[in-house]
Amino acid sequence: MNIARKAIAAAMCIAASAAAFAAYPEKPIKIIIGFPAGGPLDQHARLLADKLQAALGQPIIIDYKPGAGGSVGAEAVARSPADGYTLMLANTGVAVINGALYSKLPYDTLRDFTPIARTAMQPLALLVTPSLPVANLHQFIDYARARPGQINYGSAGNGGISHLVPEMFKNATGIYMVHIPYRGSAPAFTDLMGGQVQFMAESIPQAASYHKQGKVRAIAVTSAKRNPALPDVPTVIESGVKGFEVVGFYGFLAPAGTPRDVVAKLSDALRQVLTSPEVRDRMVSQGADPAFMGSEEFAKFLATETPRWEKAVKASGARMD
């Protein structure tokens, strides 16, 4: 009799739990971004928020918790209840670079989060100052190889993607360039245009704008395919560097232990949002390629990307302690 009662009680608990998950969401959902308002992640979140709100039937609130390369926001999400009402929109740095960059990181992406969906990939353009006597990537490699240590490259700061991609490029081609870190991409672009640095790797929108104005010269893009914003610029692979595909990404994560039903509902909602032609067109204009990946596939992607970027950080010698 007791066994029967326990079985009935367990079945009732499961049914109640299933009903609760089926009703999700029942209140506003908060998306935490570990950077100030107005940046690329904020633009991406705002682009998706309205249609995500419509798909889920609840308000979407964007909350900014900047600091330590996105780590402050990531820690806040990791410590939040695993109920699907607090999510993180992460970029490459937050998800897979910070773990190698900071010796005392307050979170571990693979341990402390449940992946929901990857939403976009963000290729970079390889740029040179217009005064450099090279017209394409092959010529640049030959030029730099003949002048080891005489080519400077600028970045938005130590340990970021604009620092690590040139380091990967150096390793892939055997050239030697000197890193000049700046506080943000704006001053780095200024010195690239002025010739104080000769090379940069930067996200597509700003790079494409300056390239079209003749202020910098785009000689390659780091994606596997050409970018619509720079259709005449070949990929690094096309230019002869085999297997060189390096792109950043954006994706949503929830605290570890978030119920599968909730994760599935969020993931499916994001998939629906990314089918919108309006969203896709605006995303491309912002320099990102729509690239939906569901929860399980995104988890595998993160597990593969993490050691790849750890290797790049180690090779660069960058630390942020």
Side-chain angles (χ1 to χ4, degrees):
M1 193 72 172
N2 287 338
I3 294 175
R5 286 176 180 171
K6 288 179 180 179
I8 292 170
M12 290 176 66
C13 286
I14 292 170
S17 177
F21 293 152
Y24 171 87
E26 296 181 301
K27 61 182 181 179
I29 296 168
K30 183 187 294 183
I31 297 174
I32 290 180
I33 296 174
F35 299 92
L41 268 186
D42 184 26
Q43 290 181 356
H44 191 67
R46 290 181 179 279
L47 172 61
L48 302 180
D50 285 347
K51 291 194 180 297
L52 185 61
Q53 182 169 294
L56 293 170
Q58 288 291 340
I60 301 295
I61 300 168
I62 301 174
D63 189 12
Y64 308 96
K65 295 186 181 298
S71 300
V72 172
E75 182 181 13
V77 176
R79 294 184 176 184
S80 296
D83 56 10
Y85 290 102
T86 303
L87 312 177
M88 174 171 67
L89 176 56
N91 61 8
T92 313
V94 174
V96 296
I97 294 177
N98 282 355
L101 201 57
Y102 294 85
S103 60
K104 296 181 179 179
L105 198 68
Y107 68 92
D108 181 293
T109 298
L110 301 180
R111 179 194 67 208
D112 296 330
F113 297 101
T114 297
I116 296 172
R118 189 187 72 184
T119 51
M121 298 294 278
Q122 190 175 41
L124 286 80
L126 302 187
L127 312 166
V128 295
T129 187
S131 60
L132 211 65
V134 300
N136 54 52
L137 188 65
H138 179 74
Q139 289 180 7
F140 174 76
I141 293 171
D142 288 345
Y143 184 87
R145 190 169 283 145
R147 296 164 179 81
Q150 296 179 40
I151 302 296
N152 296 329
Y153 77 88
S155 79
N158 280 314
I161 194 168
S162 63
H163 172 200
L164 298 178
V165 168
E167 288 296 320
M168 292 174 164
F169 180 67
K170 285 167 57 178
N171 290 337
T173 58
I175 64 175
Y176 174 58
M177 299 184 290
V178 178
H179 177 218
I180 309 295
Y182 291 81
R183 292 187 176 182
S185 60
F189 263 114
T190 298
D191 276 5
L192 180 69
M193 289 185 279
Q196 284 79 17
V197 294
Q198 292 78 46
F199 182 87
M200 269 183 72
E202 253 306 333
S203 59
I204 297 290
Q206 197 170 12
S209 175
Y210 285 142
H211 170 75
K212 290 170 184 175
Q213 295 173 46
K215 295 180 178 179
V216 303
R217 184 179 300 134
I219 54 175
V221 293
T222 62
S223 48
K225 297 179 180 179
R226 295 194 183 197
N227 190 274
L230 292 167
D232 297 327
V233 178
T235 67
V236 177
I237 295 172
E238 278 184 87
S239 303
V241 184
K242 293 182 179 179
F244 193 92
E245 179 190 358
V246 184
V247 292
F249 64 88
Y250 295 148
F252 285 83
L253 305 170
T258 299
R260 290 184 180 180
D261 308 61
V262 172
V263 171
K265 197 160 191 176
L266 287 166
S267 182
D268 187 61
L270 285 163
R271 180 190 58 77
Q272 292 177 43
V273 169
L274 289 173
T275 63
S276 163
E278 177 191 353
V279 169
R280 295 177 70 86
D281 289 347
R282 288 182 59 194
M283 194 180 294
V284 169
S285 73
Q286 292 178 358
D289 296 331
F292 176 80
M293 190 177 269
S295 177
E296 291 186 9
E297 196 177 3
F298 188 29
K300 293 176 183 177
F301 174 82
L302 291 172
T304 300
E305 286 291 289
T306 297
R308 183 186 190 194
W309 287 99
E310 284 178 348
K311 182 179 179 181
V313 171
K314 186 176 180 180
S316 75
R319 300 297 298 173
M320 297 294 287
D321 296 320

